[in-house]
Amino acid sequence: MHKVFSGKNGKTIPYLDTVIFLVIISLFFGYLGARMGISNMFSTIMATAYQLLIDTVFYIMAIAVLTGAFGKLATEFGLVKLLNKIFSPLMKPLFNMPGVAFLGIITTYLSDNPAIISLSKDDDFLSYFKKHQVPCLCNLGTAFGMGLIVTTFMTSKGYFKEALIGNIGAIIGSIVSVRIMAYRTKKVLPEESEKTEKGMGNKRNKDIEDNIIEHTEGSFFERFLTAFLEGGKLGVDIGLSIIPGVLVICTVIMLLTFGPIDPSVGYQGKAYEGVQLLPKIGEWLSPIIKPLFGFKNPEAIAFPITALGAVGAALSLVPKFLESGVIGPNEIAVFTAMGMCWSGFLSTHVAMLDALGHRKLISKAITSHVIGGIAAGISAHLLILLLGLA
């Protein structure tokens, strides 16, 4: 049903949302067309989308297949259980969450944000949480979504130390996000008696692991091969799922970020040409952005903006940025931290909170996570400065 707008005379304007849409589209393409020329604009859009698909999407998909295979092997042969036992005691002091919440970190780090939903469907798992802590699972899971893929991608570009620092920054950002969210949800959700993990808790924790972490039957080789192939298939699914975000979002970001390939010639309708609008915005914001994140070039602002909607699309910007000399070690660390922590949460938060049964808390979750992502980027930048890697 279309919205209707009532004017001063009492008359109504039907299809207001349609009108707004047409105005936005007209302004967007009108601005690009006026700067680039209509023919060059459409040629650049198609060429950019094609190059992103061939050069970047398939590369990310290859990484997703390998990391998906590793993640499935880690689950099949008990590495996830081991990590859970080691790091669960840290959840209370760091996040003020039950130890079993670490399972949410592992599952989302190895896959994507919505993986936390599979845990939330387990009543035994949820029984460890106070009522106000349950919505915080959305922020906790999102802060580590696609973490292994992001880290592996940055490492493959030759930035292992920076990717590691980015992971630390993401952890700091996740703590900030979860604690802010918990503080805000505690005010609106009724308090419950605190549950503990003593006594029967250890047995229940094992039961949760056994229910969620399934194992296949067969010999070691059969289990290895099955897990490897199933994990690889999951990677293909992730790779396919990022295609719309990369081709749509990243193409628009590219158009707004870069200029003509050869300024002396002007626009030629080639891939990765654009109108350089985001760098201008970055220059206006540089007094704030530079001290916070240490970006040397205003174009770098495109990555965190894109990561808000799709981290896969944001990763697609990195090769071009590196090739153009726009970014360096500091930016890689900050990108890793903010890419992991935000990991396209604007496109998943609503569905995740809806699945958790707390749709009314969407605004609180989003604003808390925005702050967490900024804290992640600042932390990564400060760590780079402290370690002298900038």
Side-chain angles (χ1 to χ4, degrees):
M1 182 175 179
H2 293 281
K3 297 178 181 178
V4 176
F5 174 75
S6 297
K8 293 182 178 179
N9 299 325
K11 296 182 179 180
T12 60
I13 304 176
Y15 303 104
L16 178 62
D17 50 356
T18 306
V19 173
I20 294 174
F21 168 75
L22 289 174
V23 169
I24 293 174
I25 291 296
S26 299
L27 288 175
F28 177 76
F29 285 105
Y31 176 71
L32 293 179
R35 291 288 305 275
M36 304 175 67
I38 299 297
S39 178
N40 288 332
M41 176 187 69
F42 282 109
S43 295
T44 294
I45 290 173
M46 300 307 169
T48 300
Y50 176 76
Q51 290 298 322
L52 286 171
L53 177 65
I54 300 300
D55 297 338
T56 306
V57 171
F58 289 149
Y59 182 74
I60 295 175
M61 182 184 291
I63 291 175
V65 169
L66 295 176
T67 55
F70 172 77
K72 190 66 177 179
L73 289 172
T75 300
E76 178 65 33
F77 294 102
L79 180 58
V80 169
K81 273 189 176 183
L82 178 62
L83 291 174
N84 185 59
K85 291 183 183 298
I86 294 173
F87 292 105
S88 285
L90 296 175
M91 294 303 294
K92 183 68 175 178
L94 292 180
F95 295 91
N96 195 26
M97 297 277 278
V100 292
F102 188 76
L103 279 172
I105 292 178
I106 298 177
T107 54
T108 51
Y109 189 86
L110 295 177
S111 54
D112 202 354
N113 307 353
I116 196 77
I117 301 302
S118 62
L119 293 174
S120 69
K121 298 302 181 182
D122 189 296
D123 292 335
D124 203 16
F125 175 79
L126 289 182
S127 68
Y128 280 91
F129 298 85
K130 294 181 180 181
K131 189 171 183 179
H132 79 272
Q133 291 176 326
V134 174
C136 299
L137 287 171
C138 178
N139 289 38
L140 180 69
T142 302
F144 294 93
M146 287 185 70
L148 186 59
I149 293 175
V150 173
T151 304
T152 306
F153 182 88
M154 297 302 188
T155 301
S156 70
K157 298 299 179 183
Y159 293 95
F160 173 75
K161 293 179 181 178
E162 292 79 7
L164 186 60
I165 291 171
N167 273 252
I168 297 173
I171 293 172
I172 295 172
S174 68
I175 294 172
V176 172
S177 175
V178 170
R179 283 192 169 269
I180 291 176
M181 182 64 175
Y183 174 78
R184 300 174 74 180
T185 57
K186 197 171 185 178
K187 291 185 175 182
V188 297
L189 294 176
E191 188 67 47
E192 291 184 352
S193 59
E194 186 168 0
K195 298 177 174 59
T196 65
E197 296 183 33
K198 298 179 181 179
M200 290 298 291
N202 292 330
K203 180 180 181 300
R204 289 169 62 207
N205 189 15
K206 184 178 184 303
D207 291 340
I208 291 172
E209 289 177 341
D210 291 339
N211 289 336
I212 295 172
I213 304 173
E214 299 179 354
H215 302 281
T216 57
E217 300 294 333
S219 65
F220 180 91
F221 178 75
E222 290 173 338
R223 291 169 60 200
F224 183 94
L225 188 60
T226 300
F228 191 84
L229 294 177
E230 287 183 358
K233 183 180 178 182
L234 177 62
V236 173
D237 294 338
I238 293 175
L240 290 174
S241 68
I242 69 171
I243 289 178
V246 170
L247 298 193
V248 177
I249 298 174
C250 201
T251 297
V252 172
I253 293 296
M254 291 283 193
L255 285 167
L256 298 178
T257 301
F258 298 106
I261 299 296
D262 187 351
S264 63
V265 176
Y267 293 104
Q268 305 173 64
K270 293 183 177 180
Y272 305 127
E273 291 188 325
V275 296
Q276 295 178 300
L277 179 61
L278 284 181
K280 293 178 182 177
I281 296 175
E283 288 178 1
W284 297 335
L285 298 176
S286 60
I288 300 174
I289 294 174
K290 191 166 185 179
L292 291 181
F293 306 128
F295 293 163
K296 296 179 180 178
N297 293 287
E299 292 92 337
I301 193 177
F303 185 96
I305 290 175
T306 308
L308 287 168
V311 70
L315 291 178
S316 301
L317 300 171
V318 173
K320 183 64 176 177
F321 280 163
L322 289 172
E323 180 186 338
S324 305
V326 171
I327 61 175
N330 173 76
E331 286 79 9
I332 290 294
V334 174
F335 286 179
T336 303
M338 300 185 77
M340 271 184 57
C341 195
W342 279 348
S343 56
F345 77 96
L346 288 182
S347 60
T348 59
H349 249 44
V350 175
M352 291 171 69
L353 274 170
D354 191 36
L356 290 169
H358 293 283
R359 183 185 295 180
K360 293 181 179 180
L361 299 176
I362 288 173
S363 61
K364 290 180 171 57
I366 288 177
T367 52
S368 299
H369 212 62
V370 167
I371 297 172
I374 294 172
I378 294 172
S379 302
H381 172 54
L382 294 177
L383 286 172
I384 284 286
L385 292 179
L386 288 173
L387 296 175
L389 296 176

